[in-house]
């Protein structure tokens, strides 16, 4: 039996303090069997839908997170937020609270916001953030992972998100940059933010639509909708909400969601091993007899890491 702090049902029943304790254990007790089995239990019993919200600095991600959070809470859904902070490695997390700019009602037990450090490379998701997303997905109806950056963070958000929402600011030329970086292949929905800047927003929507027709997403049966939104005036928020729900419905048909998550679980193993042991280590792990990475990714990561550490110790 797992210690109560690492028992999924106890976390579900225990409210925010229980979840906070479990997340702290994920961050500090990295690599323990108890953490791995908690996370695999969470993987086996997902409850919510994970929205990965990404885009360049200052584009309006947190404002949009706040808006979606309020909207979903009004509809009676519970919401967990993970804000991935690229600066916290330097600031030791001191700025985290300011950065998310989320003011949630402390009395509301159905909303939970957690800031987490990014890994070394700019904006990339840490293994902890991946574990936290898996756990929060088993606890809340909706999970939002907000991650800043251009390039790597967009690719990393695909590790955890069921739906990727890419935010682009009017007049920024971002869509051209994203095209070059291959990022336009990733989003399931694109939001052109700050649509109160009307003319520039219309032009940006056209630019993005053009860029998307040239990008080949991996799911040929889904065409990413582009929605102009203004958190300031409320314009386009219904359309954005419809687009997000539309993508969720799309995933829920034909087993796409389960297939996407199974693929992510395999990628977690690969990424976790690469970040700890490099590409050579990740290749060596193929020789180890591992738990099934699609259904028990965290046990697989733990077993492979232990085997590689033992092999290194023998050198
Ligand atoms: N005009 C206008 N300004 C907005 C809108 N949404 C956000 N902003 C402003 O844009 C700035 C950045 O917004 P944030 O939501 O903090 O952006 P972010 O992408 O989370 O920023 P980082 O986390 O620092 O990368 C703030 O000054 C917001 O007030 C909008 O719809 N219209
Ligand atoms: Mg932000």
């Amino acid at each position: 039996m797992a210690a109560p702090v690492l028992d999924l049902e106890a976390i579900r029943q225990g409210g925010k303090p229980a979840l906070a304790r479990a997340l702290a254990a994920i961050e500090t007790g990295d690599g323990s069997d108890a953490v791995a089995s908690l996370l695999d239990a969470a993987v086996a019993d997902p409850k919510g839908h994970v929205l990965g919200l990404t885009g360049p600095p200052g584009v309006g991600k947190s404002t949009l997170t706040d808006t979606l959070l309020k909207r979903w809470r009004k509809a009676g859904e519970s919401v967990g937020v993970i804000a991935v902070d690229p600066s916290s490695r330097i600031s030791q997390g001191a700025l985290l609270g300011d950065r998310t700019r989320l003011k949630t009602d402390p009395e509301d037990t159905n909303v939970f916001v957690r800031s987490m450090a990014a890994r070394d490379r700019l904006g990339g998701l840490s293994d902890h953030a991946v574990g936290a997303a898996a756990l929060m997905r088993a606890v809340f109806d909706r999970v939002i992972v907000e991650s800043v950056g251009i390039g790597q963070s967009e690719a990393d958000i695909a590790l955890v998100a069921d739906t990727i929402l890419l935010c682009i600011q009017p007049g920024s030329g971002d869509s051209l940059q994203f095209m070059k970086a291959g990022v336009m292949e990733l989003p399931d929905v694109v939001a052109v933010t700050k649509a109160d800047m009307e003319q520039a927003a219309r032009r940006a929507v056209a630019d993005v639509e053009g860029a998307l027709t040239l990008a080949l997403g991996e799911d040929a049966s889904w065409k990413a909708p582009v929605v102009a939104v203004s958190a300031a005036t409320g314009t386009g928020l219904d359309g954005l909400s419809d687009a997000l729900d539309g993508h969720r419905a799309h995933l829920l048909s034909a087993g796409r969601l389960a297939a996407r998550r199974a693929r992510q679980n395999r990628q977690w193993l690969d990424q976790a091993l690469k970040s700890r042991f490099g590409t050579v280590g990740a290749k060596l792990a193929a020789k180890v007899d591992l738990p099934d990475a699609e259904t028990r990714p965290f046990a697989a990561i733990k077993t492979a890491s232990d085997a590689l550490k033992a092999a290194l110790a023998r050198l």
Side-chain angles (χ1 to χ4, degrees):
M1 235 316 286
V5 111
L6 295 173
D7 178 73
L8 182 57
E9 268 328 300
I11 293 164
R12 283 173 167 161
Q13 303 301 323
K16 292 197 243 192
L19 180 58
R21 276 195 299 273
L23 290 173
I26 291 172
E27 287 181 314
T28 56
D30 194 22
S32 83
D33 284 324
V35 166
S37 62
L38 167 68
L39 293 178
D40 282 340
V43 165
D45 192 13
K47 174 179 175 183
H49 191 83
V50 182
L51 176 69
L53 205 158
T54 186
V59 66
K61 296 179 296 299
S62 297
T63 310
L64 211 48
T65 296
D66 186 51
T67 306
L68 290 170
L69 187 158
K70 294 212 169 87
R71 192 181 181 99
W72 288 333
R73 284 301 299 123
K74 217 181 229 170
E77 295 184 282
S78 60
V79 187
V81 178
I82 300 174
V84 180
D85 191 311
S87 65
S88 54
R89 197 168 61 85
I90 302 152
S91 68
Q92 299 284 322
L95 293 173
L96 288 179
D98 303 329
R99 229 191 132 76
T100 63
R101 295 186 194 94
L102 286 180
K103 302 225 181 342
T104 56
D105 176 1
E107 303 286 304
D108 185 350
T109 52
N110 285 308
V111 94
F112 184 93
V113 178
R114 178 81 170 199
S115 293
M116 299 194 85
R119 75 162 144 237
D120 284 2
R121 49 192 184 149
L122 182 70
L125 256 59
S126 67
D127 295 350
H128 296 153
V130 169
L135 180 58
M136 283 168 73
R137 184 178 69 188
V139 173
F140 297 103
D141 299 316
R142 303 273 190 168
V143 177
I144 302 176
V145 181
E146 180 193 331
S147 143
V148 64
I150 297 184
Q152 190 56 52
S153 67
E154 281 79 8
D156 265 15
I157 205 102
L159 286 172
V160 298
D162 298 320
T163 298
I164 298 178
L165 172 61
L166 176 65
C167 299
I168 289 182
Q169 179 156 328
S172 61
D174 284 338
S175 42
L176 196 64
Q177 289 306 316
F178 283 132
M179 278 277 292
K180 287 187 193 152
V183 168
M184 283 321 255
E185 286 149 32
L186 292 168
D188 301 300
V189 178
V190 179
V192 171
T193 55
K194 309 188 188 182
D196 36 302
M197 297 155 68
E198 285 177 22
Q199 265 221 331
R202 269 196 299 276
R203 221 168 21 245
V205 169
D207 285 353
V208 173
E209 280 173 344
L212 284 170
T213 54
L214 298 173
L216 282 179
E218 67 185 33
D219 182 354
S221 59
W222 177 257
K223 185 175 176 296
V226 182
V227 190
V229 296
S230 166
T233 65
T235 314
L237 291 172
D238 289 338
L240 176 62
S241 181
D242 289 348
L244 296 176
D245 287 345
H247 185 251
R248 180 159 72 161
H250 171 75
L251 285 178
L252 288 171
S253 62
R256 290 190 186 95
L257 182 60
R260 184 169 177 137
R261 288 176 174 173
R263 189 175 63 237
Q264 288 171 338
N265 296 351
R266 289 195 309 270
Q267 290 169 342
W268 292 348
L269 172 65
D270 188 55
Q271 291 287 316
L273 295 179
K274 275 188 184 142
S275 70
R276 291 175 205 176
F277 302 99
T279 44
V280 177
K283 276 205 192 101
L284 276 177
K287 296 189 199 294
V288 184
D289 191 20
L290 297 179
D292 177 27
E294 286 192 3
T295 53
R296 296 176 60 210
F298 293 97
I301 291 169
K302 167 88 170 88
T303 308
S305 299
D306 287 351
L308 289 168
K309 273 187 222 151
L312 284 170
R314 283 196 298 274
L315 288 178

